[in-house]
Amino acid sequence: MIEFPISLTYQHRVIFTDGVFDQENNVLAEVLTLVPAVLRQRARVLIFVDEGLIEADPALPGHISGWFVRRTGMFDLRAAPVPVPGGESCKNDWNQVHQIWSTIHDAGLDRHSYVLVLGGGAVLDLVGLAAATAHRGIRLVRLPTTTLSQGDGGVGVKNGVNYFGKKNWVGTFSIPFAVINDVRFLDHLPLAEKRSGYIEAVKVALIRDATFFEEMAANVTAMQDFEPAMLRRVIERSAELHVRHIATGGDPFELGSARPLDFGHWVAHKLEQMTHFAVSHGEAVALGIAVDLIYANLAGMLAGPVCERILQLLEDLGFKLWHPALLQSVSTEEKRLLVLQGLEEFREHLGGALCITLVIDIGQAVEVREMDEKLVRRAIEKLQARALAADVALSL
Ligand SMILES: NC(=O)c1ccc[n+]([C@@H]2O[C@H](COP(=O)([O-])OP(=O)(O)OC[C@H]3O[C@@H](n4cnc5c(N)ncnc54)[C@H](O)[C@@H]3O)[C@@H](O)[C@H]2O)c1
Ligand SMILES: [Zn+2]
């Protein structure tokens, strides 16, 4: 055997700014000049933009082009910003990957160029996959434009699209060259999307940071009103906790089977798939967290009042904690809950051994190697009963 270790050090950069394409804002220019140009004077740049963002802010592509025009001597913008259909459906259409590859190819990008992507988590995942595989990897600068992607997905090290009807079945681990979080993009987000990102902040607080949880609980009204300072704080802390876990948790490329950041996600991924993504990722994670919290409570691992307090916070933040698909059977003959297949799929995703993160107190997580299916059903039924009781209370 001939054996050599290969170690590489990456820098994972997440930069916070306000108005990245304001003419005077130089954050992006600093990022794009971090690495001295070796091949040519001006770095080649190509920009993909989520169509949902363009619809919400039609002037944006012009602003972007204007920013680059002002810096023509520094950068070679190879084409006008390229629109990409937004939302989960873009991850279900392999042609999109091909389309992005073609655009990169036609623009003459190489491994010394930069792909910039502005968008929600779905567009970041799609363009990220295409950029990571074109020429075996072109530097990627992500500019997440949803609360969820600024606080979680966009600051991570994964990309991927859905395949065989399964979430993120094709994808790579690939550390972006930089992530630029510009809170101003969120001005244009519909409220439901704005709220969606809160769930990943609550999730990471539940498994890592009780103080952050208490901070959110104490500022729930400011969060409901999306007060800019609180929104910014929630995103920054959520991003920081996610990035810290990835960078210092010892397993950035998920070679082991523990996935604490996927707390609540085994149900969530399955629900998204079962509802053909009518339930958004954020909504699905809220439901998944609720099921796993009640499960932990029924299993005697989480105190009832703590469980209820967390569920209440989720509801106060505007998450609906019931969806009928949770009780859908596999078929009329097979009464097993379809959502339980999410456990097998999660196991497959982890690479063989099941490892589910459960919360035993605010800020404290444990890993379990199996889930009791009867208890999962009871947890779901309890969630339903809770929702029904709330409906009755409302109608009284
Ligand atoms: N790679 C990872 O580590 C990781 C982690 C978590 C989530 N994700 C993925 O992220 C995706 C969810 O991302 P998301 O919640 O950001 O939603 P999304 O990307 O589906 O976007 C939601 C909608 O908002 C629109 N939009 C985006 N930015 C906008 C803006 N500023 N103003 C107005 N509209 C805007 C989009 O066009 C889309 O219609 C899922 O596919 C999930 O699997 C990936
Ligand atoms: Zn998530």
Side-chain angles (χ1 to χ4, degrees), residues 50-54 56-57 84-89 91 119-125 142 144-150 152-154 156-160 162 167-168 184-190 193 196-197 200 265 269 272 277 280-282:
D50 191 317
E51 275 177 8
L53 177 61
I54 299 178
D57 182 11
V84 179
E88 193 66 29
S89 57
K91 286 177 61 172
V123 167
L124 299 183
D125 271 355
R142 294 197 198 129
T145 61
T146 60
T147 319
L148 192 130
S149 58
Q150 290 198 355
D152 176 8
V157 295
K158 298 186 273 190
N159 58 52
N162 309 329
K167 277 284 283 186
N168 304 324
R184 213 173 309 154
F185 287 129
L186 307 182
D187 291 350
H188 307 285
L189 262 188
E193 293 298 339
S196 237
E200 306 281 5
H265 279 57
H269 284 169
E272 287 181 80
F277 303 96
S280 75
H281 185 69

Side-chain angles (χ1 to χ4, degrees), residues 131-148:
T133 46
H135 292 299
R136 299 199 174 109
I138 298 176
R139 292 184 195 124
L140 178 74
V141 179
R142 294 197 198 129
L143 294 101
T145 61
T146 60
T147 319
L148 192 130

Side-chain angles (χ1 to χ4, degrees), residues 15-307:
I15 301 141
F16 298 89
T17 191
D18 194 337
V20 65
F21 291 110
D22 286 357
Q23 290 301 321
E24 304 304 327
N25 191 320
N26 225 27
V27 162
L28 179 61
E30 284 162 19
V31 164
L32 296 178
T33 48
L34 276 169
V35 177
V38 283
L39 283 192
R40 55 180 73 87
Q41 294 249 301
R42 299 185 307 155
R44 291 185 173 174
V45 179
L46 187 60
I47 306 181
F48 294 90
V49 187
D50 191 317
E51 275 177 8
L53 177 61
I54 299 178
E55 263 168 46
D57 182 11
L60 180 66
H63 280 147
I64 299 174
S65 299
W67 188 94
F68 276 95
V69 166
R70 204 184 153 117
R71 292 161 179 85
T72 304
M74 293 173 80
F75 308 113
D76 180 4
L77 185 63
R78 304 293 288 173
V82 183
V84 179
E88 193 66 29
S89 57
C90 76
K91 286 177 61 172
N92 290 324
D93 176 6
W94 183 255
N95 287 328
Q96 294 295 338
V97 179
H98 192 265
Q99 185 61 43
I100 294 161
W101 278 333
S102 301
T103 314
I104 290 175
H105 176 259
D106 295 346
L109 296 198
D110 53 39
R111 291 170 51 75
H112 297 271
S113 310
Y114 295 85
V115 167
L116 267 58
V117 55
L118 283 74
V123 167
L124 299 183
D125 271 355
L126 164 72
V127 175
L129 169 68
T133 46
H135 292 299
R136 299 199 174 109
I138 298 176
R139 292 184 195 124
L140 178 74
V141 179
R142 294 197 198 129
L143 294 101
T145 61
T146 60
T147 319
L148 192 130
S149 58
Q150 290 198 355
D152 176 8
V155 300
V157 295
K158 298 186 273 190
N159 58 52
V161 299
N162 309 329
Y163 214 75
F164 302 123
K166 291 179 179 167
K167 277 284 283 186
N168 304 324
W169 197 89
V170 186
T172 75
F173 286 94
S174 165
I175 297 166
F177 184 75
V179 180
I180 300 177
N181 266 351
D182 183 348
V183 73
R184 213 173 309 154
F185 287 129
L186 307 182
D187 291 350
H188 307 285
L189 262 188
L191 287 190
E193 293 298 339
K194 238 180 183 173
R195 175 182 306 118
S196 237
Y198 283 161
I199 196 64
E200 306 281 5
V202 174
K203 170 204 77 182
V204 76
L206 284 175
I207 59 169
R208 283 277 183 275
D209 187 350
T211 311
F212 182 36
F213 181 91
E214 294 305 338
E215 186 182 345
M216 288 189 279
N219 289 284
V220 74
T221 315
M223 287 178 74
Q224 284 164 348
D225 296 343
F226 300 103
E227 279 182 16
M230 190 59 198
L231 182 60
R232 207 175 287 224
R233 162 72 188 150
V234 169
I235 289 170
E236 285 194 18
R237 184 66 184 150
S238 174
E240 185 186 346
L241 289 167
H242 279 88
V243 171
R244 181 177 301 165
H245 173 80
I246 293 165
T248 65
D251 192 17
F253 291 171
E254 301 181 357
L255 297 171
S257 55
R259 296 274 201 295
L261 296 181
D262 276 350
F263 171 51
H265 279 57
W266 73 266
V267 168
H269 284 169
K270 188 69 196 171
L271 261 186
E272 287 181 80
Q273 188 200 105
M274 284 165 66
T275 60
H276 304 286
F277 303 96
V279 176
S280 75
H281 185 69
E283 293 162 345
V285 175
L287 288 159
I289 287 178
V291 170
D292 281 350
L293 287 171
I294 297 179
Y295 178 94
N297 170 243
L298 291 174
M301 302 163 81
L302 174 68
V306 180
C307 177

